[in-house]
Amino acid sequence: MRFRHPDGSVVHLAYCTNVHPAETLDGVLAQLRDHGEPVRRRLGRDRLGIGLWLARPAARALTDDPGALRGLRAELDRRGLEVVTLNGFPYEGFGAGTVKHRVYRPDWTHPDRLAHTVDLARLLAALLPDDVTEGTISTLPLAWRTPFDSARADTAHHALRTLAERLDTLEELTGRSVRVALEPEPGCVVETIADALAHLAAVAAPRRVGVCVDTCHLATSFEDPAATLADLAAAGVTIPKAQLSAALHAEHPHLPAVRTALAAFAEPRFLHQTRTLTPDGLRGTDDLDEALAGTALPDTAPWRSHFHVPLHARPAPPLTSTLPVLEETLALLVGGAVPRTRHLEVETYTWQTLPPELRPVTRARLHDGIAAELSLARDLLTDLGLKELP
């Protein structure tokens, strides 16, 4: 979906296909047929943006076979889908029964991460619509926080500088500019915007490497949207893309009914880092069940958990979501005289790990849910003065 900002520029809205696990090229093609096109039709649009996730095996198949890449581009066109951004965070195995810490491997200290991201950039340059000259890729925030020392930091920074050089070369060869964005996430080396600023200062490649603002992660870490975006602007750090997502919020975690409700969201597939803001600063656990198990996390102030809940369907009381943080952040990103980012991606990948009574039991219900999320995002954008384009 495309929108005209009052300044005349185009802002793109997509949904991320990591909600449809697929590791192979055949699986990706099936996603377009079985999910992407039906969601587009529900929205009544001739064109729908998707934030494509290409696992390493699928990406390798495309880089090894130019014909396959042309076939993917033709299939996107045939189904009324377009790609301006890739989710380069998960490397592979995102559809496994247990993902947890696996999603952070390989990290930016390993050469495989650089090689994969360069491949994604080359593929994106070929997949961009004919009238679009810039693509974006979100990537993991360097690494999980342990083990990580100054030597590993130096290795990761060097890899990102090498990436920036290769992206410069790619633009010279193709005329397409690709930018990469570190996605701060709780528990990682880069958990907050302040962490991102520190590491990006060492990378020193502002034209190519910036920050992906994920509004679930921002809220989970209790970061103030206005302050953090002001810090990015002051440092000259760009926001190549933003992910529109909402975290799980518990206002009164000391109450037994609240803990019971939270326990329904503790599941074995993904990490659900949980945080609370105390007078002494941010406190947290690496998973929701750990927070619920005892006294690891103070319960005298609200808890937020890294569980991407559907944007349009807040959890039933006594829980809620951090949708207000998304709304505030989005207004700051695109509600001003000039958009701070032009690539927006709805990223709710947790539909099938919701409590059983909330899960879509059919493919059609999943499509309805994704379309409802995009409709909510569309309404927020038009309320901010953007005009939806055909």
Side-chain angles (χ1 to χ4, degrees):
M1 301 167 77
R2 297 187 183 192
F3 298 81
R4 180 75 66 190
H5 190 273
D7 78 339
S9 62
V10 175
V11 173
H12 295 263
L13 172 66
Y15 88 91
C16 186
T17 63
N18 62 358
V19 65
H20 314 302
E23 301 286 316
T24 66
L25 178 55
D26 285 344
V28 171
L29 295 171
Q31 286 177 346
L32 307 183
R33 178 192 67 227
D34 297 339
H35 301 291
E37 185 176 12
V39 170
R40 176 182 64 76
R41 292 185 181 279
R42 275 167 170 74
L43 290 164
R45 308 304 300 162
D46 293 333
R47 173 173 53 191
L48 176 67
I50 58 171
L52 197 59
W53 173 58
L54 295 172
R56 183 55 176 165
R60 175 55 65 188
L62 291 167
T63 55
D64 287 346
D65 185 351
L69 180 56
R70 290 191 297 271
L72 174 58
R73 173 65 187 273
E75 189 70 0
L76 288 164
D77 292 341
R78 188 166 77 88
R79 300 199 180 276
L81 306 171
E82 66 178 14
V83 175
V84 302
T85 189
L86 300 180
N87 188 327
F89 196 134
Y91 183 84
E92 61 184 348
F94 200 63
T98 301
V99 178
K100 299 291 184 179
H101 294 86
R102 176 180 178 177
V103 75
Y104 307 108
R105 299 191 296 265
D107 61 32
W108 274 101
T109 68
H110 196 287
D112 285 352
R113 175 60 63 172
L114 172 61
H116 178 54
T117 309
V118 170
D119 282 349
L120 291 180
R122 291 169 176 160
L123 295 173
L124 180 56
L127 293 174
L128 287 174
D130 292 339
D131 61 345
V132 175
T133 59
E134 181 179 274
T136 57
I137 301 172
S138 49
T139 189
L140 81 164
L142 298 189
W144 185 250
R145 69 180 184 278
T146 56
F148 202 83
D149 54 20
S150 59
R152 290 172 65 84
D154 288 344
T155 299
H157 297 161
H158 177 73
L160 287 171
R161 286 192 291 269
T162 301
L163 172 67
E165 294 169 358
R166 295 183 183 177
L167 295 179
D168 285 342
T169 301
L170 180 65
E171 183 173 9
E172 292 174 4
L173 293 173
T174 66
R176 304 292 181 90
S177 174
V178 175
R179 294 189 294 156
V180 171
L182 300 181
E183 183 185 329
E185 178 167 304
C188 294
V189 171
V190 175
E191 171 160 347
T192 65
I193 297 298
D195 296 332
L197 291 174
H199 285 280
L200 289 174
V203 173
R207 183 167 177 264
R208 291 299 179 191
V209 186
V211 168
C212 172
V213 175
D214 182 300
T215 56
C216 170
H217 303 172
L218 192 77
T220 301
S221 295
F222 287 86
E223 295 202 78
D224 176 73
T228 53
L229 295 186
D231 289 343
L232 288 170
V237 173
T238 61
I239 305 170
K241 70 182 287 187
Q243 289 175 325
L244 306 182
S245 53
L248 191 63
H249 180 96
E251 186 68 18
H252 303 291
H254 66 285
L255 296 177
V258 174
R259 287 179 172 259
T260 298
L262 283 171
F265 287 85
E267 53 83 29
R269 186 171 173 189
F270 299 113
L271 279 183
H272 300 296
Q273 303 93 315
T274 304
R275 300 287 185 266
T276 188
L277 194 59
T278 74
D280 297 324
L282 198 65
R283 294 278 301 278
T285 60
D286 287 343
D287 217 340
L288 178 56
D289 54 2
E290 181 185 350
L292 292 168
T295 60
L297 200 61
D299 61 6
T300 54
W303 287 3
R304 290 176 178 173
S305 189
H306 173 218
F307 194 117
H308 289 221
V309 295
L311 303 186
H312 68 292
R314 300 188 191 198
L319 303 179
T320 187
S321 81
T322 60
L323 182 63
V325 176
L326 183 160
E327 294 171 337
E328 180 183 357
T329 307
L330 186 62
L332 292 166
L333 287 171
V334 301
V338 177
R340 297 283 304 275
T341 186
R342 292 189 297 275
H343 291 179
L344 303 171
E345 179 182 74
V346 171
E347 197 213 12
T348 303
Y349 57 84
T350 45
W351 282 95
Q352 298 303 335
T353 57
L354 289 167
E357 68 275 11
L358 301 178
R359 294 175 196 168
V361 295
T362 65
R363 186 180 289 174
R365 288 185 62 181
L366 174 61
H367 299 161
D368 290 341
I370 294 170
E373 288 193 295
L374 286 166
S375 293
L376 182 148
R378 173 175 57 192
D379 291 345
L380 292 176
L381 290 171
T382 55
D383 287 347
L384 289 170
L386 284 74
K387 180 181 179 181
E388 187 175 5
L389 298 173

